Amino acid sequence: MRQKIIIDCDPGHDDAVAIILAARTSQLLGITTVDGNASLAHVTRNALAITELLEADIPVHSGAAKPLAGESRHAQHVHGETGLGGARLPLPAREPASEDAVEYLLAASHEHADCHLVAIGPLTNVALALQRDPTFAHRLAGISIMGGSTSVGNVTRAAEFNVWADPEAADVVFSSGAHLQMCGLNLTHQLRTDDSHVAELRQMSSVAASFVADLFEFMHERMADLSGSRTFPLHDPCAVLAVTAPHLLEFEDRAVAVELRGTLTRGMTVVDERVTRRRDPANVAVAYRIDAGAALRHIMDVLAE
Ligand code: RIB
Ligand code: CA
């Protein structure tokens, strides 16, 4: 049975793969966009262009143009100025269905009782929806988050980009009481593409495969420059798989809180890993392991369709 999903995103190369995966393996009800990898205008244009590439009539609602506190923080050094560097996508013909992502999220949660929210960018839209209507947390079947980490950061030693870009929003979400799944960097770094996946995609005939091959080629170059490794961690698709193929991941219930004040640790997801009965009560199902071989095979098969 296909799960009902709404994706909140900031496309973004891995967001694009997550959207394609969700569109082809779930009932993707809608997409909301948030300032993150690039400006709201760029990521919204990218989301529209991806739905047109898929020839999928999926509404795109644009949302927050900056975090709850402070100014926008983008990741052009990773994803390029537009957020989808290396992509050969025509400008979209369609406009966003609305510019009120929060209103759409709340309305959709009333219309679809069993809807999963897959949040793969900064959590600004999700936090604003929870602040406008706290009962939103309990109407959703769950919130599957790509964000945080039980170990290393990527923007700082301690913080992962999506949480770092809007820690106040992440704190609202992690404190909301919603059913939360967290795919952090400790997990997503296990799911990496390499040049063999580009070669396989280039052998496929689909437009989506060619588009994703361009994305992977761009990211392998960027990752080689940034980290010395020509591999690309598929962060955002992990949060989709947590809903559509949970058998591929292993979760542990943990208490997770977001650091808002630390000089070195602001934006860190602080996970209670103590092996003791005194451990704080769990509020998140944290993913620790993924069957990377099976997950990559599944993703490549979906891209071949
Ligand atoms: O840290 C990885 C996350 O930041 C991913 O969602 C990627 O798209 C960027 O937004
Ligand atoms: Ca993202």
Side-chain angles (χ1 to χ4, degrees):
M1 183 262 288
R2 288 194 166 205
Q3 299 283 5
K4 290 182 179 177
I5 285 179
I6 294 172
I7 288 188
D8 186 72
C9 58
D10 59 337
H13 294 67
D14 51 329
D15 304 70
V17 179
I19 290 169
I20 297 169
L21 183 64
R24 293 182 171 177
T25 62
S26 78
Q27 189 178 342
L28 183 53
L29 301 174
I31 294 170
T32 53
T33 57
V34 64
D35 175 82
N37 284 320
S39 70
L40 180 65
H42 278 308
V43 300
T44 302
R45 185 179 312 117
N46 294 339
L48 287 163
I50 293 162
T51 62
E52 292 184 1
L53 174 111
L54 295 171
E55 297 178 350
D57 185 20
I58 300 166
V60 174
H61 298 259
S62 61
K66 68 184 189 70
L68 295 189
E71 293 311 310
S72 292
R73 302 157 131 193
H74 297 151
Q76 280 99 338
H77 64 295
V78 178
H79 294 276
E81 181 66 30
T82 68
L84 271 186
R88 291 173 290 173
L89 270 183
L91 284 174
R94 292 194 305 144
E95 293 294 323
S98 86
E99 295 182 356
D100 192 346
V102 171
E103 187 50 41
Y104 168 72
L105 289 171
L106 294 176
S109 69
H110 281 290
E111 187 179 346
H112 302 280
D114 51 351
C115 176
H116 292 264
L117 177 56
V118 176
I120 56 177
L123 292 164
T124 319
N125 290 338
V126 184
L128 288 169
L130 287 163
Q131 289 176 331
R132 191 182 299 179
D133 176 2
T135 65
F136 178 55
H138 305 294
R139 268 198 308 282
L140 292 169
I143 304 177
S144 178
I145 296 164
M146 190 282 131
S149 176
T150 66
S151 57
V152 292
N154 54 8
V155 182
T156 70
R157 302 178 196 178
E160 175 279 327
F161 177 79
N162 286 338
V163 175
W164 174 85
D166 195 342
E168 280 70 21
D171 180 44
V172 168
V173 176
F174 278 85
S175 313
S176 67
H179 175 264
L180 302 177
Q181 291 172 294
M182 176 181 127
C183 292
L185 297 180
N186 59 293
L187 179 92
T188 65
H189 282 169
Q190 299 172 42
L191 189 68
R192 291 177 175 268
T193 61
D194 59 36
D195 290 334
S196 70
H197 298 103
V198 176
E200 184 177 345
L201 288 166
R202 293 290 186 213
Q203 295 300 312
M204 298 176 189
S205 58
S206 79
V207 172
S210 174
F211 165 62
V212 174
D214 292 342
L215 297 184
F216 286 177
E217 260 176 1
F218 178 90
M219 288 310 291
H220 293 160
E221 287 300 325
R222 277 292 157 106
M223 289 297 112
D225 292 345
L226 292 169
S227 69
S229 164
R230 283 186 63 82
T231 63
F232 174 40
L234 282 183
H235 305 292
D236 293 338
C238 290
V240 173
L241 293 175
V243 176
T244 62
H247 63 282
L248 295 176
L249 295 92
E250 293 175 28
F251 295 88
E252 306 281 350
D253 291 338
R254 288 285 187 276
V256 181
V258 179
E259 175 57 59
L260 299 178
R261 281 176 289 281
T263 305
L264 296 175
T265 55
R266 175 168 159 80
M268 177 179 181
T269 45
V270 182
V271 184
D272 191 347
E273 301 276 21
R274 286 174 291 180
V275 182
T276 164
R277 294 186 193 287
R278 292 180 53 252
R279 194 151 67 184
D280 294 334
N283 58 324
V284 187
V286 176
Y288 281 86
R289 283 164 295 283
I290 185 168
D291 181 341
L296 277 168
R297 187 66 267 145
H298 171 61
I299 292 168
M300 296 297 283
D301 290 346
V302 169
L303 292 172
E305 288 173 7

